[in-house]
Amino acid sequence: GAVVSQHPSWVICKSGTSVKIECRSLDFQATTMFWYRQFPKQSLMLMATSNEGSKATYEQGVEKDKFLINHASLTLSTLTVTSAHPEDSSFYICSARVGPSWTEAFFGQGTRLTVV
Amino acid sequence: GQQLNQSPQSMFIQEGEDVSMNCTSSSIFNTWLWYKQDPGEGPVLLIALYKAGELTSNGRLTAQFGITRKDSFLNISASIPSDVGIYFCAGQSTTSGTYKYIFGTGTRLKVLA
């Protein structure tokens, strides 16, 4: 399958600082990437859909000024958690779609964010 | 956010047994995907389904796209200890033309050796 790499795998930051998470498609070009958040023992909740060259589409209830998404190239999307607070601590996962809109998506390995 | 109903929520089985889980929705989907997630990792794609009625296998795994396009099931035959993990279904929604994926609530599988 297609390879999606997410970096970092884990990060600890102080409350009030910002953290950037990268999502890269290594062996294919991804016009669309997705960002999810997952709480312990729960399912994946879609935060936003990231389209190369255009603004991300955020799900209802997700603060776009809090979670900045940039998809500047066909192989890279970034999620920046701004002014992080302890309640932002979570597992963040990205996925990238391999082709047309109806095709499957592959996931990165996830980023464990802990805000202290 | 919207989620699909997945059952069972969890299951303990003996090694060698067959496993069946399903996913239902009130909405029609055009694509069904099944993923497995290990602790602390991202989900790994197991099977992708694109047509109503489609039955697809991947080794010991078999999945079907329901005729109504509102459900899907996954079977695992002759389970082994490494099958342990959380299995998620995902349906692709075309709401607002974004073609996003909606995830099920997950089935936590534990295999007893």
Side-chain angles (χ1 to χ4, degrees):
Chain A
V3 180
V4 177
S5 178
Q6 199 171 328
H7 178 81
S9 297
W10 59 270
V11 58
I12 301 174
C13 71
K14 290 185 177 181
S15 186
T17 62
S18 295
V19 174
K20 180 184 285 188
I21 302 170
E22 294 186 346
C23 181
R24 293 180 185 274
S25 56
L26 297 186
D27 53 357
F28 67 99
Q29 294 183 330
T31 55
T32 304
M33 292 184 175
F34 304 90
W35 287 95
Y36 297 83
R37 184 172 181 176
Q38 186 177 34
F39 291 104
K41 298 188 177 182
Q42 293 191 22
S43 185
L44 288 77
M45 299 302 296
L46 180 64
M47 299 174 65
T49 302
S50 167
N51 294 295
E52 187 266 338
S54 63
K55 292 183 179 180
T57 302
Y58 290 81
E59 293 300 300
Q60 189 173 8
V62 178
E63 301 175 58
K64 61 181 180 181
D65 295 330
K66 172 78 172 174
F67 300 99
L68 300 178
I69 292 173
N70 184 279
H71 193 159
S73 78
L74 287 172
T75 58
L76 174 65
S77 176
T78 60
L79 168 68
T80 302
V81 183
T82 63
S83 187
H85 289 94
E87 56 266 32
D88 297 325
S89 298
S90 190
F91 193 53
Y92 293 88
I93 321 175
C94 71
S95 71
R97 188 155 55 205
V98 296
S101 57
W102 49 269
T103 57
E104 62 267 32
F106 292 86
F107 281 83
Q109 63 268 51
T111 297
R112 171 73 57 193
L113 170 64
T114 303
V115 184
V116 298
Chain B
Q2 183 183 357
Q3 282 191 334
L4 304 175
N5 294 316
Q6 202 168 331
S7 65
Q9 189 173 25
S10 64
M11 54 195 313
F12 288 80
I13 61 168
Q14 291 288 336
E15 182 178 359
E17 288 185 351
D18 295 344
V19 175
S20 184
M21 60 190 78
N22 64 64
C23 198
T24 59
S25 168
S26 57
S27 305
I28 289 175
F29 288 104
N30 298 315
T31 301
W32 283 96
L33 307 172
W34 283 93
Y35 291 89
K36 177 176 182 272
Q37 185 180 31
D38 292 325
E41 301 286 333
V44 174
L45 181 66
L46 300 174
I47 292 180
L49 302 162
Y50 300 109
K51 293 194 305 184
E54 179 181 355
L55 185 71
T56 298
S57 293
N58 178 8
R60 293 180 296 107
L61 279 61
T62 301
Q64 185 160 28
F65 192 141
I67 292 292
T68 65
R69 295 166 63 191
K70 292 183 177 182
D71 61 353
S72 177
F73 72 76
L74 174 70
N75 284 344
I76 305 173
S77 62
S79 59
I80 58 178
S82 61
D83 290 334
V84 70
I86 305 176
Y87 292 79
F88 289 104
C89 62
Q92 188 181 53
S93 166
T94 59
T95 302
S96 302
T98 59
Y99 293 88
K100 59 188 180 183
Y101 304 95
I102 307 300
F103 276 76
T105 48
T107 294
R108 192 176 297 268
L109 177 65
K110 296 189 179 181
V111 180
L112 306 175

